[in-house]
Amino acid sequence: MLRVCVHQIRKDLYGDLIDFKKRFDTTSKVKFQTVIKNCMKQIAGGISAALVSIANHIPFTLIRAIENSQDEDQ
């Protein structure tokens, strides 16, 4: 966590489409779904959503949208 630069944290908090496509091959959603499910477990375990998003390189706004959504598969 200490080696993460401010620029990367901003990408993780607000999202960056190019970076997102590099990390999660958009042709298959299995990898992305696995990471999201892991993130939700970590948040349910008491870890801050902001820290989870940065640690897993998922946009914080996306994590918040998933948390607020009633349909988990969406």
Side-chain angles (χ1 to χ4, degrees), residues 25-37:
D25 183 20
T26 55
T27 58
S28 173
K29 61 182 184 176
V30 174
K31 181 179 178 183
F32 177 68
Q33 286 176 333
T34 303
V35 172
I36 289 295
K37 287 180 182 181

Side-chain angles (χ1 to χ4, degrees), residues 38-47 52 67:
N38 185 36
C39 289
M40 293 298 112
K41 285 180 187 176
Q42 291 173 354
I43 292 169
I47 299 174
V52 169
E67 281 184 315

Side-chain angles (χ1 to χ4, degrees), residues 37-70:
K37 287 180 182 181
N38 185 36
C39 289
M40 293 298 112
K41 285 180 187 176
Q42 291 173 354
I43 292 169
I47 299 174
S48 166
L51 291 176
V52 169
S53 70
I54 291 169
N56 292 287
H57 304 291
I58 302 290
F60 177 69
T61 54
L62 181 59
I63 294 285
R64 279 304 209 196
I66 292 170
E67 281 184 315
N68 294 332
S69 174
Q70 297 299 323

Side-chain angles (χ1 to χ4, degrees), residues 4-46:
V4 179
C5 67
V6 172
H7 181 68
Q8 184 62 47
I9 292 173
R10 284 190 183 126
K11 282 183 181 181
D12 293 338
L13 286 175
Y14 304 111
D16 179 39
L17 187 57
I18 295 169
D19 189 50
F20 189 78
K21 285 181 179 181
K22 283 182 199 175
R23 290 183 189 283
F24 305 102
D25 183 20
T26 55
T27 58
S28 173
K29 61 182 184 176
V30 174
K31 181 179 178 183
F32 177 68
Q33 286 176 333
T34 303
V35 172
I36 289 295
K37 287 180 182 181
N38 185 36
C39 289
M40 293 298 112
K41 285 180 187 176
Q42 291 173 354
I43 292 169

